Amino acid sequence: MKIASYLHQGVRSYGIVKTDGIIDLGSRLCHRYADLKSLLVAGELATVRSYSEEKIDFTTQEIDYLPVIENPGKILCAGMNYAEKRQEFGQTDPAPTLFIRFADSQTGHNTRLLKPYDSDQFDYEGELAIIIGTAGRHISQADALSHIAGYSCYMDASVRDWQHAWFTAGKNWRNTGGFGPYLTTSDEIDNPHNLMLRTRLNGTIVQQDNTCNMIHSIPYLIEYISTFTRISAGDVIITGSPGGTGKMRRPPLFMQPGDRIEVDIEQVGHLINTVAEEPVVSEVFTGQRSI
């Protein structure tokens, strides 16, 4: 089952994605579950299967995709998690490299990534995303996969000239994290550690690897993360990008306005974004300040 979040005629909703269109769950369940995250928090993902054979309500051409989970409590990102990537960046620390991405840096499938006006090094990083379905702390590797609701594609774009010894400033610019097109439920993925991941820039493959080559497996990442923080339904873990990033190419290859960037993960989905220049807008806070 594949479930997307979207706007339809200006209304936020979510629904089951079929080959011929969308079965809108929002119109059926909004009185109980306002969005996909609240459905996961309630533990009711499996129950929506009863709607999966109903007639579609509209086509995918009639929606504007939103990030799969618009407001996750946490977006935890694993860096340097493929051997080729570690070699490119000279990474030798055996511990997982973790950083955070903010929810308001995300955008959906078929939307624009915004190349920051203040950067000349807007880099691509295609990744497999995990969406948590069941909360927990101190989760063992043996139990870890049972906490996953599903998987998706992520374009974890990096603003390299703002990313140094720490990653936060290079990962949280507006509309730099493409997330979608949908959540593919975990029962549809035979083995999350045997998926081919490809990133294409303007139709050319720039990253290609299999998830079997992750340094730290998905169960290990969940065990490690849940040791120091509680993971909750709707949280997102991004599992790392393969080698081939633009920064380490000679000459470097960065995304530019007008480019098309794709993340294609077998069994999971095919995320497409275009790149546009970030508009230069001065933002002024006009609300009252709390004292």
Side-chain angles (χ1 to χ4, degrees):
M1 186 168 58
K2 303 181 189 314
I3 304 178
S5 300
Y6 48 81
L7 290 171
H8 178 250
Q9 298 181 349
V11 178
R12 276 176 161 74
S13 192
Y14 60 104
I16 300 171
V17 181
K18 308 289 283 189
T19 55
D20 55 346
I22 304 284
I23 299 168
D24 188 49
L25 295 175
S27 59
R28 295 166 170 84
L29 300 173
C30 62
H31 59 292
R32 286 187 283 168
Y33 315 117
D35 54 21
L36 178 53
K37 179 182 173 180
S38 62
L39 182 76
L40 296 178
V41 170
E44 294 296 326
L45 180 61
T47 65
V48 302
R49 291 188 183 281
S50 61
Y51 298 99
S52 63
E53 299 305 319
E54 296 193 8
K55 292 182 179 180
I56 67 164
D57 296 291
F58 33 77
T59 68
T60 55
Q61 285 71 41
E62 296 176 78
I63 67 171
D64 295 310
Y65 285 91
L66 296 168
V68 177
I69 305 294
E70 277 197 272
N71 291 296
K74 302 181 187 71
I75 306 173
L76 293 152
C77 311
M80 307 298 168
N81 201 28
Y82 286 81
E84 184 181 356
K85 178 78 170 291
R86 288 170 66 88
Q87 184 176 5
E88 284 180 351
F89 283 81
Q91 176 63 257
T92 58
D93 189 337
T97 300
L98 295 179
F99 55 92
I100 58 172
R101 181 179 272 278
F102 305 144
D104 61 4
S105 71
Q106 299 188 124
T107 190
H109 171 62
N110 275 343
T111 64
R112 298 182 305 167
L113 299 180
L114 295 181
K115 175 192 166 296
Y117 177 81
D118 301 272
S119 172
D120 294 316
Q121 298 184 9
F122 192 36
D123 207 350
Y124 51 83
E125 296 202 58
E127 309 195 17
L128 174 69
I130 300 165
I131 298 101
I132 297 298
T134 306
R137 273 291 310 274
H138 299 289
I139 299 168
S140 70
Q141 292 189 54
D143 295 333
L145 294 182
S146 68
H147 287 258
I148 297 173
Y151 301 87
S152 192
C153 303
Y154 213 102
M155 171 44 56
D156 185 31
S158 296
V159 183
R160 295 290 187 197
D161 38 3
W162 282 73
Q163 179 178 303
H164 306 291
W166 58 301
F167 297 100
T168 303
K171 289 290 187 179
N172 285 291
W173 298 70
R174 181 167 64 102
N175 285 37
T176 58
F179 185 15
Y182 35 67
L183 177 154
T184 298
T185 52
S186 56
D187 61 292
E188 291 201 6
I189 306 302
D190 299 329
N191 178 3
H193 296 106
N194 187 24
L195 303 173
M196 185 57 68
L197 185 159
R198 296 180 178 90
T199 305
R200 293 182 178 88
L201 179 62
N202 297 323
T204 299
I205 295 175
V206 289
Q207 292 180 295
Q208 180 170 279
D209 210 334
N210 192 289
T211 55
C212 68
N213 292 319
M214 287 182 186
I215 301 297
H216 302 295
S217 70
I218 292 167
Y220 179 81
L221 289 173
I222 291 175
E223 180 183 70
Y224 184 88
I225 290 167
S226 69
T227 302
F228 65 82
T229 187
R230 183 179 188 269
I231 57 172
S232 301
D235 284 355
V236 178
I237 299 173
I238 309 172
T239 58
S241 176
T245 54
K247 178 179 175 64
M248 305 312 293
R249 291 175 178 264
R250 295 295 178 265
L253 178 64
F254 295 115
M255 294 188 289
Q256 303 297 334
D259 284 349
R260 174 186 171 101
I261 190 72
E262 304 171 59
V263 183
D264 186 3
I265 307 177
E266 62 175 330
Q267 299 182 47
V268 174
H270 188 177
L271 170 68
I272 302 172
N273 294 103
T274 54
V275 180
E277 189 79 50
E278 179 188 33
V280 183
V281 178
S282 178
E283 297 184 6
V284 179
F285 176 69
T286 57
Q288 288 186 334
R289 178 179 294 178
S290 298
I291 300 176

